[in-house]
Amino acid sequence: MSGDPKAAALRALHQGRAADDPLVLPGPWDVAGARVFEAAGFPALATPSAGVAASLGYEDGATPAAEMFAAVTRIARAVSVPVTADLEGGYGLPAAELVERVREAGAVGVNLEDTGPDRALRDPEAHAEWLAEVRAAAGPDLFVNARVDVYIRGVPEPAEAAVTRSLLYAAAGADCVYPIAAPPADLPVLRAALGDLPLNVLAVPGGPSFAELGRLGATRITFGDGLLLRSLDDLASLAARLRDGGTPGA
């Protein structure tokens, strides 16, 4: 049993959901955004590594670990809802140290990808062993979302590879799997193969509704840096109006 109420709350949010009611987790990249999402009524938040990187002036994947943990800490301390943090591939940290730093940051969930520092897929068995070490170090007070990168790495027959890796990571202790960029057409196949294992799906502009993604198999929906990009588009429009002599409300 989890001893952390936020960890228990985050875990419970993934269970017993209706097919057309997936868990929607917006991704704040700073404190101001986190507070807006909390005020809107979202029960948990999921920081996006790419969004945090952009907000700090780094390319995706280039944020120093200390700065990423500092950003997560600021967000987690600013809200009362559970926060799960995208920590990329774990920054080369040993499992126990990674878990301790997550705890210090105040997050109760992590997103850990199977792409290595060389931007190539890690060996799945080796990655599963590391996830098992994370699970052992964390106990139940950390919700582990294992990102599966086969779709973004050009793997042949990615649905089959996603299932193989997902089941391996689940057996190692992952609570949820995230085959990022899986197309909607593959979701029923993934859901059928994964059984009751929670499935994280990336929402994209112009894609199916949240309810439809849920009916296709999604348990949980996140956005990567999509919400940041939408916000930047809105900011660019505002900047253009100001430049041309308009007012912010025009």
Side-chain angles (χ1 to χ4, degrees):
M1 295 294 291
S2 171
D4 185 324
K6 286 188 177 180
L10 180 63
R11 190 174 299 281
L13 286 169
H14 292 78
Q15 306 301 322
R17 306 198 69 89
D20 60 353
D21 182 34
L23 175 61
V24 177
L25 296 180
W29 51 93
D30 60 15
V31 166
R35 287 175 170 162
V36 168
F37 290 131
E38 180 182 31
F42 288 97
L45 305 175
T47 67
S49 62
V52 172
S55 74
L56 297 175
Y58 293 102
E59 295 294 323
D60 184 21
T63 308
E67 294 201 42
M68 185 64 74
F69 280 108
V72 171
T73 300
R74 289 191 293 271
I75 290 169
R77 287 177 178 172
V79 297
S80 61
V81 297
V83 171
T84 178
D86 182 350
L87 297 179
E88 302 179 294
Y91 307 109
L93 297 172
E97 182 179 349
L98 175 65
V99 169
E100 183 59 29
R101 293 184 71 171
V102 171
R103 286 177 174 152
E104 291 174 351
V108 293
V110 288
N111 201 72
L112 298 171
E113 65 191 44
D114 59 0
T115 291
D118 58 357
R119 310 313 295 166
L121 282 169
R122 289 172 168 163
D123 174 78
E125 285 80 13
H127 188 63
E129 289 179 6
W130 180 70
L131 289 174
E133 293 173 1
V134 171
R135 175 85 285 153
D141 283 340
L142 189 67
F143 190 90
V144 178
N145 186 34
R147 201 180 92 177
V148 181
D149 287 0
V150 295
Y151 284 96
I152 62 174
R153 298 297 168 209
V155 172
E157 299 186 16
E160 181 179 344
V163 168
T164 298
R165 284 177 176 258
S166 294
L167 293 176
L168 190 61
Y169 302 162
D175 300 292
C176 183
V177 293
Y178 178 21
I180 187 170
D186 282 4
L187 297 184
V189 174
L190 294 170
R191 169 49 62 216
L194 299 177
D196 293 332
L197 182 66
L199 176 64
N200 191 147
V201 172
L202 178 70
V204 297
S209 68
F210 300 154
E212 180 59 22
L213 288 173
R215 286 190 287 268
L216 290 171
T219 309
R220 148 176 164 166
I221 293 172
T222 53
F223 302 87
D225 62 352
L227 300 180
L228 171 64
L229 297 177
R230 169 63 186 273
S231 296
L232 291 177
D233 284 345
D234 291 344
L235 186 59
S237 296
L238 172 60
R241 291 199 301 272
L242 297 176
R243 179 200 62 208
D244 296 337
T247 63

